[in-house]
């Protein structure tokens, strides 16, 4: 009778114990008795790892590296043409040539003549 | 015309004292102010650069693409194809009657790139000593990158073709491709492992920096005291002109009924009209041109020669990461060499490719 009571108390204690750095064996015991705990621990580990890679694994850039990226952006912007959307729009607008039949001289010639 | 100028200038001897650009401006003005314009129509009368005050709204400092941009655009055979378009349009009507907008495109293209340009312009690189624009570009590509265009024969400004007989000087960067590919392969290892925090990390920033330093040195060697700058300027200007032409349904593309949704589609259709197909990997060359220019420009700043700066190539949110990934992908497609292969299987594929 006393042995049964001891056994139940032991089981209850096992269920209520939580793992901690001071009591790592509690986790081991739980894992041995309840395989689902192992699954949860492994999933938790990977979740933690994934979060870590998403947020922290890429090292933050130094000031010199940030400056370099700024230089790269400046060159990119300085040499870029129109975006594909802007090109698409411009293709729909027909350019106007006023001097096709010689009846409308360019603006700068008029300005020169008016002086 | 010049006899009239003698009257305007206050004496005949003064006519010969003008700067050539002023005389060119005078002729342009003379043309633009012509009377009886209805009797002497013109599809287009471009404004001279001096009298018109130039194209406004330029930024205070300008930049243009690296010579590699011109090389990669030219690899599509765009110059060979449009040379044939020009030839057909200027010598007959097989391609149809062009609208005034397309005639202006033809005129500008011919004036800018297929004529002897006035000697005082910065992009005027053609002369009796080097009479073929295509050969001048090939010479520049060879000196800077040690490589040739995929097409064996270029079409020169005189229409005869350079037959590949351009000058190949000893001072050429023949190791460029090899070092570049090592740089790209090592960079790929860094990109693959940028998030690797648990396993062994084979990233070797020092090696990437060393390859970048060697590239920097060989490129800057060819540019000492401004050597090749004007040739680069001319080549980039010419290829960007043709690149822009096929980047959208421009007037000449519409007139040739070569509309498409991408540059390579339009180029392919123009090529069909003149019976000269573009390179089968045109798409990759178009994709490569700008990112490769940006990567080489960054290498030429010498900043990547320091291993501490190399991680900017891997930064997923950075501007260089996307460029270098695009370069690695499309360089592999155009050359057939797998730059992402850092294992035995990949090396075996490369070895087989090298044997072919």
């Amino acid at each position: 009778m006393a042995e049964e009571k001891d056994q139940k108390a032991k089981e209850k204690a096992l269920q209520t114990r939580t793992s901690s750095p001071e009591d790592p064996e509690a986790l081991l015991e739980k894992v041995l008795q309840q395989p689902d705990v192992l699954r949860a621990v492994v999933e938790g580990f990977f979740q933690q790892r994934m979060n870590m890679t998403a947020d922290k694994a890429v090292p933050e850039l130094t000031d010199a590296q940030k400056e370099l990226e700024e230089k790269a952006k400046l060159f990119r912007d300085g040499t870029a043409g129109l975006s594909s959307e802007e090109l698409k729009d411009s293709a729909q607008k027909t350019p106007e040539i006023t001097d096709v039949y010689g009846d409308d001289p360019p603006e700068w010639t008029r300005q020169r003549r008016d002086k | 015309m010049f006899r009239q100028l003698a009257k305007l200038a206050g004496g005949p001897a003064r006519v010969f004292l003008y700067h050539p650009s002023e005389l060119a401006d005078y002729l342009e003005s003379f043309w633009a102010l012509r009377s009886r314009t209805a009797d002497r129509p013109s599809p287009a009368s471009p404004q001279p650069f001096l009298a018109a005050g130039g194209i406004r709204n330029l930024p205070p400092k300008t930049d243009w693409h690296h010579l590699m941009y011109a090389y990669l655009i030219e690899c599509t055979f765009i110059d060979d194809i449009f040379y044939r378009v020009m030839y057909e349009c200027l010598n007959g009507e097989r391609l149809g009657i062009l609208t005034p907008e397309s005639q202006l495109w033809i005129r500008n293209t011919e004036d800018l790139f297929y004529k002897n340009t006035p000697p005082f312009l910065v992009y005027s690189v053609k002369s009796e000593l080097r009479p073929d624009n295509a050969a001048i570009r090939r010479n520049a590509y060879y000196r800077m990158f040690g490589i040739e265009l995929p097409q064996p024969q270029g079409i020169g400004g005189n229409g005869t073709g350079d037959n590949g007989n351009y000058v190949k000087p000893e001072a050429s960067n023949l190791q460029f491709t090899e070092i570049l590919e090592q740089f790209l392969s090592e960079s790929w290892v860094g990109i693959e492992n940028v998030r690797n925090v648990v396993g062994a990390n084979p990233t070797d920033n020092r090696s990437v920096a060393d390859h970048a330093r060697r590239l920097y040195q060989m490129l800057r060697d060819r540019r000492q005291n401004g050597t090749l700058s004007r040739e680069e300027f001319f080549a980039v200007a010419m290829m960007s002109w043709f690149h822009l032409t096929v980047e959208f349904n421009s007037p000449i593309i519409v007139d040739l009924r070569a509309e498409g949704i991408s540059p390579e589609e339009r180029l392919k259709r123009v090529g069909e009209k003149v019976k000269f197909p573009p390179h089968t990997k045109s798409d990759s060359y178009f994709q490569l041109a700008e990112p490769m220019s940006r990567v080489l420009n960054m290498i030429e700043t010498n900043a990547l020669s320091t291993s501490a700066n190399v991680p900017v190539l891997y930064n997923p949110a950075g501007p260089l990461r996307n460029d270098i990934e695009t370069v690695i992908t499309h360089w592999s497609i155009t050359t057939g060499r797998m730059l992402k292969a850092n294992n035995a299987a990949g090396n075996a594929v490369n070895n087989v490719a090298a044997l072919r």
Side-chain angles (χ1 to χ4, degrees), chain B residues 217-284:
Chain B
Q217 285 174 346
M218 59 172 72
L219 292 173
R220 299 305 293 186
D221 253 5
R222 298 284 78 74
R223 290 186 189 277
Q224 288 185 77
N225 297 328
T227 310
L228 287 178
S229 288
R230 288 175 58 230
E231 289 78 3
E232 176 182 64
F233 186 76
F234 174 75
V236 170
M238 184 170 179
M239 290 307 133
S240 70
W241 177 266
F242 289 131
H243 188 186
L244 178 67
T245 302
V246 295
E247 250 189 323
F248 70 113
N249 290 327
S250 56
I252 187 74
I253 294 291
V254 174
D255 273 6
L256 295 175
R257 294 183 182 82
E259 294 101 321
I261 55 164
S262 62
E264 70 278 6
E265 276 298 317
R266 295 182 189 104
L267 185 61
K268 191 178 164 194
R269 284 174 191 153
V270 175
E272 284 167 6
K273 302 284 177 187
V274 292
K275 299 180 177 61
F276 194 98
H279 196 287
T280 50
K281 290 169 182 166
S282 291
D283 177 50
S284 285

Coordinates of all heavy atoms in Angstrom, one line a residue, chain B residues 217-284:
Chain B
Q217 N 43.3 45.5 -60.5 CA 44.6 45.9 -61.0 C 44.7 45.8 -62.5 O 45.2 46.7 -63.2 CB 45.7 45.0 -60.4 CG 46.0 45.5 -58.9 CD 47.0 44.5 -58.2 OE1 47.3 43.4 -58.7 NE2 47.5 45.0 -57.1
M218 N 44.1 44.7 -63.1 CA 44.2 44.6 -64.5 C 43.4 45.6 -65.3 O 43.7 46.1 -66.3 CB 44.0 43.1 -65.0 CG 42.7 42.5 -64.6 SD 42.5 40.8 -65.5 CE 43.6 39.8 -64.6
L219 N 42.2 45.9 -64.7 CA 41.3 46.9 -65.4 C 41.9 48.3 -65.3 O 41.9 49.0 -66.3 CB 39.9 46.9 -64.7 CG 39.1 45.6 -65.0 CD1 37.8 45.6 -64.2 CD2 38.8 45.4 -66.4
R220 N 42.5 48.6 -64.1 CA 43.0 49.9 -64.0 C 44.3 50.1 -64.8 O 44.7 51.2 -65.2 CB 43.3 50.3 -62.5 CG 42.1 50.3 -61.6 CD 41.0 51.2 -62.1 NE 41.3 52.6 -62.0 CZ 40.4 53.6 -62.3 NH1 39.2 53.3 -62.7 NH2 40.8 54.8 -62.2
D221 N 45.0 49.0 -65.0 CA 46.2 49.0 -65.8 C 45.9 49.5 -67.2 O 46.7 50.2 -67.8 CB 46.8 47.6 -65.9 CG 48.1 47.4 -65.1 OD1 48.4 48.4 -64.4 OD2 48.7 46.4 -65.1
R222 N 44.8 49.0 -67.7 CA 44.4 49.4 -69.1 C 43.9 50.8 -69.1 O 43.7 51.4 -70.2 CB 43.3 48.5 -69.6 CG 43.8 47.0 -69.7 CD 44.7 46.7 -70.9 NE 46.0 47.1 -70.7 CZ 46.9 46.5 -69.9 NH1 46.5 45.4 -69.3 NH2 48.1 46.9 -69.8
R223 N 43.6 51.4 -68.0 CA 42.9 52.7 -68.0 C 43.9 53.8 -67.6 O 43.5 55.0 -67.3 CB 41.8 52.8 -67.0 CG 40.6 52.0 -67.4 CD 39.5 52.2 -66.4 NE 38.3 51.4 -66.5 CZ 37.3 51.6 -67.4 NH1 37.4 52.7 -68.2 NH2 36.3 50.8 -67.4
Q224 N 45.2 53.5 -67.5 CA 46.1 54.5 -66.9 C 46.0 55.8 -67.7 O 46.1 55.8 -68.9 CB 47.5 54.0 -67.0 CG 47.7 52.9 -65.9 CD 49.2 52.4 -65.9 OE1 50.0 53.1 -65.3 NE2 49.4 51.3 -66.5
N225 N 45.9 56.9 -67.0 CA 45.9 58.3 -67.6 C 44.8 58.4 -68.6 O 44.9 59.2 -69.6 CB 47.2 58.6 -68.2 CG 48.3 58.7 -67.2 OD1 48.1 59.0 -66.1 ND2 49.5 58.3 -67.6
G226 N 43.7 57.7 -68.4 CA 42.5 57.9 -69.3 C 42.5 57.1 -70.5 O 41.7 57.2 -71.4
T227 N 43.5 56.1 -70.7 CA 43.5 55.3 -71.8 C 42.2 54.5 -71.9 O 41.7 54.0 -70.9 CB 44.7 54.2 -71.7 OG1 45.9 55.0 -71.4 CG2 44.9 53.5 -73.0
L228 N 41.7 54.4 -73.1 CA 40.4 53.6 -73.4 C 39.2 54.3 -72.9 O 38.1 53.8 -73.2 CB 40.5 52.2 -72.9 CG 41.4 51.2 -73.6 CD1 41.4 49.8 -73.0 CD2 41.0 51.0 -75.1
S229 N 39.3 55.5 -72.3 CA 38.1 56.1 -71.8 C 37.1 56.5 -72.9 O 35.9 56.3 -72.9 CB 38.4 57.4 -71.0 OG 39.0 57.0 -69.7
R230 N 37.7 57.2 -73.9 CA 36.9 57.7 -75.0 C 36.3 56.5 -75.8 O 35.2 56.5 -76.3 CB 37.7 58.6 -76.0 CG 38.0 59.9 -75.3 CD 38.9 60.8 -76.1 NE 38.4 61.0 -77.5 CZ 39.0 60.8 -78.6 NH1 40.3 60.4 -78.6 NH2 38.5 61.1 -79.8
E231 N 37.1 55.4 -76.0 CA 36.6 54.3 -76.7 C 35.5 53.6 -75.9 O 34.5 53.2 -76.5 CB 37.8 53.2 -76.9 CG 38.8 53.6 -77.9 CD 39.8 54.7 -77.3 OE1 39.7 55.0 -76.2 OE2 40.7 55.1 -78.1
E232 N 35.6 53.6 -74.6 CA 34.5 53.1 -73.8 C 33.3 53.9 -73.9 O 32.2 53.4 -74.1 CB 35.0 53.0 -72.3 CG 33.9 52.6 -71.4 CD 34.3 52.6 -69.9 OE1 34.6 53.6 -69.4 OE2 34.3 51.5 -69.3
F233 N 33.5 55.2 -73.9 CA 32.4 56.2 -74.0 C 31.6 56.0 -75.3 O 30.4 55.9 -75.3 CB 32.9 57.6 -73.9 CG 31.9 58.7 -73.8 CD1 31.2 58.9 -72.6 CD2 31.6 59.5 -74.9 CE1 30.2 59.9 -72.5 CE2 30.6 60.4 -74.8 CZ 29.9 60.7 -73.7
F234 N 32.4 55.9 -76.3 CA 31.7 55.7 -77.7 C 31.0 54.3 -77.7 O 29.8 54.3 -78.2 CB 32.8 55.8 -78.8 CG 32.2 55.4 -80.1 CD1 31.4 56.4 -80.8 CD2 32.4 54.2 -80.7 CE1 30.9 56.1 -82.0 CE2 31.9 53.9 -82.0 CZ 31.1 54.8 -82.6
A235 N 31.6 53.3 -77.3 CA 31.0 52.0 -77.4 C 29.7 51.9 -76.5 O 28.7 51.4 -77.0 CB 32.0 50.9 -76.9
V236 N 29.8 52.4 -75.3 CA 28.6 52.4 -74.4 C 27.5 53.3 -75.0 O 26.3 52.9 -75.0 CB 29.0 52.9 -73.0 CG1 27.8 53.1 -72.1 CG2 29.9 51.9 -72.3
A237 N 27.9 54.4 -75.6 CA 26.9 55.3 -76.2 C 26.2 54.6 -77.3 O 24.9 54.6 -77.4 CB 27.5 56.6 -76.7
M238 N 27.0 54.0 -78.2 CA 26.4 53.3 -79.4 C 25.5 52.1 -78.9 O 24.4 52.0 -79.4 CB 27.5 52.8 -80.3 CG 27.0 52.2 -81.5 SD 28.4 51.9 -82.7 CE 27.5 51.2 -84.1
M239 N 26.0 51.3 -78.0 CA 25.2 50.1 -77.6 C 23.9 50.6 -76.8 O 22.9 49.9 -76.9 CB 26.0 49.1 -76.8 CG 27.1 48.5 -77.7 SD 26.3 47.7 -79.2 CE 27.5 48.3 -80.4
S240 N 24.0 51.6 -76.1 CA 22.9 52.1 -75.3 C 21.8 52.6 -76.3 O 20.6 52.5 -76.0 CB 23.2 53.1 -74.2 OG 23.6 54.3 -74.8
W241 N 22.3 53.2 -77.4 CA 21.3 53.7 -78.4 C 20.5 52.5 -78.9 O 19.3 52.6 -79.0 CB 22.1 54.4 -79.5 CG 21.3 54.9 -80.7 CD1 21.1 54.3 -81.8 CD2 20.7 56.2 -80.8 NE1 20.3 55.0 -82.7 CE2 20.1 56.2 -82.0 CE3 20.6 57.3 -79.9 CZ2 19.4 57.4 -82.5 CZ3 19.9 58.4 -80.4 CH2 19.3 58.4 -81.6
F242 N 21.2 51.5 -79.3 CA 20.5 50.3 -79.9 C 19.7 49.6 -78.8 O 18.6 49.1 -79.1 CB 21.5 49.4 -80.6 CG 22.0 49.9 -81.8 CD1 23.4 49.9 -82.1 CD2 21.2 50.4 -82.8 CE1 23.9 50.4 -83.3 CE2 21.7 50.9 -84.0 CZ 23.1 50.9 -84.2
H243 N 20.3 49.5 -77.6 CA 19.5 48.9 -76.5 C 18.2 49.6 -76.2 O 17.1 48.9 -76.1 CB 20.4 48.9 -75.2 CG 19.9 48.1 -74.1 ND1 20.5 48.1 -72.8 CD2 18.8 47.3 -73.9 CE1 19.8 47.4 -72.0 NE2 18.8 46.8 -72.7
L244 N 18.3 50.9 -76.2 CA 17.0 51.7 -76.0 C 16.0 51.5 -77.1 O 14.8 51.4 -76.9 CB 17.4 53.2 -75.9 CG 16.2 54.1 -75.7 CD1 15.5 53.9 -74.3 CD2 16.6 55.6 -75.8
T245 N 16.6 51.3 -78.3 CA 15.7 51.1 -79.5 C 14.8 49.9 -79.3 O 13.7 49.9 -79.8 CB 16.5 51.1 -80.8 OG1 17.3 52.3 -80.9 CG2 15.7 50.9 -82.0
V246 N 15.4 48.8 -78.8 CA 14.7 47.6 -78.7 C 14.0 47.4 -77.3 O 13.4 46.4 -77.0 CB 15.5 46.3 -79.0 CG1 16.0 46.3 -80.4 CG2 16.7 46.2 -78.0
E247 N 14.2 48.4 -76.4 CA 13.7 48.3 -75.0 C 12.2 48.5 -75.0 O 11.5 48.2 -74.0 CB 14.4 49.2 -74.1 CG 15.3 48.6 -73.1 CD 15.8 49.5 -72.0 OE1 16.1 50.7 -72.3 OE2 15.9 49.0 -70.9
F248 N 11.7 49.2 -76.0 CA 10.2 49.4 -76.1 C 9.8 49.4 -77.6 O 10.7 49.3 -78.4 CB 9.9 50.7 -75.4 CG 10.3 52.0 -76.1 CD1 9.4 52.9 -76.6 CD2 11.7 52.3 -76.2 CE1 9.8 54.0 -77.3 CE2 12.1 53.5 -76.8 CZ 11.1 54.3 -77.4
N249 N 8.5 49.5 -77.8 CA 8.1 49.5 -79.2 C 8.3 50.9 -79.8 O 7.4 51.7 -80.0 CB 6.6 49.1 -79.2 CG 6.4 47.7 -78.9 OD1 7.3 46.8 -79.2 ND2 5.3 47.3 -78.3
S250 N 9.6 51.2 -80.1 CA 10.0 52.5 -80.6 C 9.5 52.6 -82.0 O 9.1 51.6 -82.7 CB 11.5 52.6 -80.5 OG 12.1 51.6 -81.2
P251 N 9.5 53.8 -82.6 CA 9.0 54.0 -83.9 C 9.6 53.1 -85.0 O 8.8 52.5 -85.8 CB 9.4 55.5 -84.2 CG 9.4 56.2 -82.9 CD 9.9 55.1 -82.0
I252 N 10.9 52.9 -85.0 CA 11.5 52.0 -86.0 C 11.0 50.6 -85.8 O 10.8 49.8 -86.8 CB 13.0 52.1 -86.0 CG1 13.6 51.4 -87.2 CG2 13.6 51.6 -84.7 CD1 13.5 52.0 -88.5
I253 N 10.8 50.2 -84.6 CA 10.3 48.8 -84.3 C 8.9 48.7 -84.8 O 8.6 47.6 -85.4 CB 10.4 48.5 -82.7 CG1 11.9 48.5 -82.3 CG2 9.7 47.2 -82.4 CD1 12.7 47.4 -82.7
V254 N 8.1 49.7 -84.6 CA 6.7 49.6 -85.0 C 6.7 49.6 -86.5 O 5.9 48.8 -87.2 CB 5.9 50.8 -84.5 CG1 4.5 50.9 -85.0 CG2 5.9 50.8 -82.9
D255 N 7.5 50.5 -87.2 CA 7.5 50.5 -88.6 C 7.9 49.2 -89.3 O 7.5 48.8 -90.3 CB 8.4 51.6 -89.1 CG 7.7 53.0 -89.2 OD1 6.5 53.0 -88.8 OD2 8.3 53.9 -89.7
L256 N 8.8 48.5 -88.6 CA 9.3 47.2 -89.1 C 8.4 46.1 -88.7 O 8.7 44.9 -89.0 CB 10.7 46.9 -88.6 CG 11.8 47.9 -89.0 CD1 13.2 47.5 -88.3 CD2 12.0 47.8 -90.5
R257 N 7.3 46.4 -88.0 CA 6.4 45.4 -87.5 C 7.1 44.3 -86.7 O 7.0 43.1 -86.9 CB 5.6 44.7 -88.6 CG 4.7 45.7 -89.3 CD 3.9 45.1 -90.4 NE 3.0 46.1 -91.1 CZ 3.5 46.8 -92.1 NH1 4.7 46.8 -92.5 NH2 2.7 47.7 -92.7
A258 N 7.9 44.8 -85.7 CA 8.7 43.9 -84.9 C 8.4 44.1 -83.4 O 9.2 43.9 -82.6 CB 10.2 44.2 -85.2
E259 N 7.1 44.5 -83.2 CA 6.8 44.7 -81.8 C 6.9 43.4 -81.0 O 6.7 42.3 -81.5 CB 5.3 45.2 -81.7 CG 5.1 46.6 -82.3 CD 4.5 46.5 -83.6 OE1 4.8 45.6 -84.4 OE2 3.6 47.4 -83.9
G260 N 7.2 43.6 -79.7 CA 7.3 42.4 -78.8 C 7.2 42.9 -77.4 O 6.9 44.1 -77.1
I261 N 7.3 41.9 -76.5 CA 7.2 42.3 -75.1 C 8.6 42.4 -74.4 O 8.7 42.7 -73.2 CB 6.3 41.3 -74.3 CG1 6.8 39.9 -74.5 CG2 4.8 41.5 -74.7 CD1 6.1 39.0 -73.5
S262 N 9.6 42.0 -75.1 CA 11.0 42.1 -74.5 C 12.0 42.5 -75.5 O 11.7 42.3 -76.7 CB 11.3 40.7 -73.9 OG 11.4 39.8 -74.9
P263 N 13.1 43.0 -75.1 CA 14.2 43.4 -76.1 C 14.6 42.2 -77.0 O 14.7 42.5 -78.2 CB 15.3 43.8 -75.2 CG 14.7 44.2 -73.9 CD 13.5 43.3 -73.7
E264 N 14.7 41.0 -76.5 CA 15.2 40.0 -77.3 C 14.2 39.5 -78.4 O 14.5 39.1 -79.5 CB 15.7 38.8 -76.5 CG 14.7 38.0 -75.8 CD 14.3 38.6 -74.5 OE1 14.7 39.7 -74.2 OE2 13.5 38.0 -73.7
E265 N 12.9 39.7 -78.0 CA 11.8 39.3 -78.9 C 11.8 40.3 -80.1 O 11.7 40.0 -81.2 CB 10.4 39.4 -78.2 CG 10.1 38.1 -77.5 CD 9.9 36.9 -78.4 OE1 9.3 37.1 -79.5 OE2 10.4 35.9 -78.1
R266 N 11.9 41.6 -79.7 CA 11.9 42.7 -80.8 C 13.2 42.5 -81.7 O 13.0 42.6 -82.9 CB 11.9 44.0 -80.1 CG 10.7 44.3 -79.3 CD 10.7 45.7 -78.7 NE 9.6 45.9 -77.8 CZ 9.6 45.9 -76.5 NH1 10.8 45.7 -75.9 NH2 8.6 45.9 -75.7
L267 N 14.3 42.2 -81.0 CA 15.5 42.0 -81.8 C 15.4 40.8 -82.8 O 15.8 40.9 -83.9 CB 16.7 41.9 -80.9 CG 18.1 41.8 -81.6 CD1 18.4 43.1 -82.4 CD2 19.2 41.6 -80.6
K268 N 14.8 39.8 -82.3 CA 14.6 38.6 -83.1 C 13.7 38.9 -84.3 O 14.1 38.5 -85.4 CB 13.9 37.5 -82.2 CG 13.9 36.2 -82.8 CD 13.3 35.2 -81.8 CE 12.9 33.9 -82.5 NZ 12.0 33.1 -81.8
R269 N 12.7 39.7 -84.1 CA 11.8 40.0 -85.2 C 12.5 40.9 -86.2 O 12.2 40.8 -87.4 CB 10.5 40.6 -84.7 CG 9.6 39.5 -84.1 CD 8.4 39.9 -83.4 NE 7.9 38.8 -82.7 CZ 7.1 38.8 -81.6 NH1 6.8 40.0 -81.1 NH2 6.7 37.7 -81.0
V270 N 13.2 41.9 -85.7 CA 14.0 42.8 -86.6 C 15.0 41.9 -87.4 O 15.1 42.1 -88.6 CB 14.7 43.9 -85.8 CG1 15.6 44.7 -86.8 CG2 13.7 44.8 -85.1
G271 N 15.6 41.0 -86.7 CA 16.6 40.1 -87.4 C 15.9 39.3 -88.5 O 16.5 39.1 -89.5
E272 N 14.7 38.9 -88.3 CA 14.0 38.1 -89.3 C 13.8 39.0 -90.6 O 13.8 38.5 -91.7 CB 12.6 37.6 -88.8 CG 12.7 36.5 -87.8 CD 11.4 36.2 -87.1 OE1 10.4 36.9 -87.4 OE2 11.4 35.4 -86.1
K273 N 13.5 40.3 -90.4 CA 13.3 41.2 -91.5 C 14.5 41.3 -92.4 O 14.4 41.5 -93.6 CB 12.9 42.6 -91.0 CG 11.7 42.6 -90.1 CD 10.4 42.4 -91.0 CE 9.2 42.4 -90.0 NZ 8.0 42.1 -90.7
V274 N 15.7 41.2 -91.7 CA 16.9 41.4 -92.5 C 17.7 40.1 -92.6 O 18.9 40.2 -93.0 CB 17.8 42.5 -91.9 CG1 17.1 43.9 -92.0 CG2 18.1 42.2 -90.4
K275 N 17.1 39.0 -92.3 CA 17.7 37.7 -92.4 C 19.0 37.6 -91.7 O 20.0 37.1 -92.2 CB 17.8 37.4 -93.9 CG 16.5 37.3 -94.7 CD 16.7 37.0 -96.1 CE 15.4 36.9 -96.8 NZ 14.6 38.1 -96.9
F276 N 19.0 38.1 -90.5 CA 20.2 37.9 -89.6 C 19.8 37.7 -88.2 O 19.4 38.6 -87.5 CB 21.1 39.2 -89.7 CG 22.5 39.0 -89.2 CD1 23.6 38.7 -90.0 CD2 22.8 39.0 -87.8 CE1 24.8 38.5 -89.5 CE2 24.0 38.8 -87.3 CZ 25.1 38.6 -88.2
P277 N 19.7 36.4 -87.8 CA 19.2 36.1 -86.5 C 20.1 36.6 -85.3 O 21.3 36.6 -85.5 CB 19.0 34.6 -86.4 CG 20.0 34.1 -87.5 CD 20.1 35.2 -88.5
P278 N 19.5 37.0 -84.2 CA 20.3 37.4 -83.1 C 21.0 36.2 -82.4 O 20.6 35.0 -82.8 CB 19.4 38.1 -82.1 CG 18.1 37.5 -82.5 CD 18.1 37.2 -83.9
H279 N 21.8 36.4 -81.5 CA 22.5 35.3 -80.7 C 21.4 34.5 -80.0 O 20.4 35.1 -79.5 CB 23.5 35.9 -79.7 CG 24.4 34.8 -79.2 ND1 24.0 33.9 -78.3 CD2 25.7 34.6 -79.4 CE1 25.1 33.1 -78.0 NE2 26.1 33.6 -78.7
T280 N 21.5 33.2 -79.9 CA 20.5 32.4 -79.3 C 20.4 32.7 -77.8 O 19.3 32.4 -77.2 CB 20.8 30.9 -79.5 OG1 22.1 30.7 -79.1 CG2 20.6 30.5 -80.9
K281 N 21.4 33.3 -77.2 CA 21.4 33.6 -75.8 C 21.2 35.1 -75.6 O 21.7 35.6 -74.5 CB 22.6 33.0 -75.1 CG 22.6 31.5 -75.1 CD 23.9 30.9 -74.6 CE 23.8 29.4 -74.7 NZ 25.2 28.8 -74.6
S282 N 20.6 35.8 -76.5 CA 20.4 37.2 -76.4 C 19.8 37.6 -75.1 O 20.2 38.6 -74.5 CB 19.5 37.7 -77.5 OG 20.2 37.6 -78.7
D283 N 18.8 36.8 -74.6 CA 18.1 37.2 -73.4 C 19.1 37.3 -72.2 O 19.1 38.3 -71.5 CB 17.0 36.2 -73.1 CG 16.3 36.5 -71.8 OD1 15.9 37.6 -71.6 OD2 16.2 35.6 -70.9
S284 N 20.0 36.3 -72.1 CA 20.9 36.3 -71.0 C 21.9 37.5 -71.2 O 22.3 38.1 -70.2 CB 21.7 35.0 -71.0 OG 20.9 34.0 -70.4

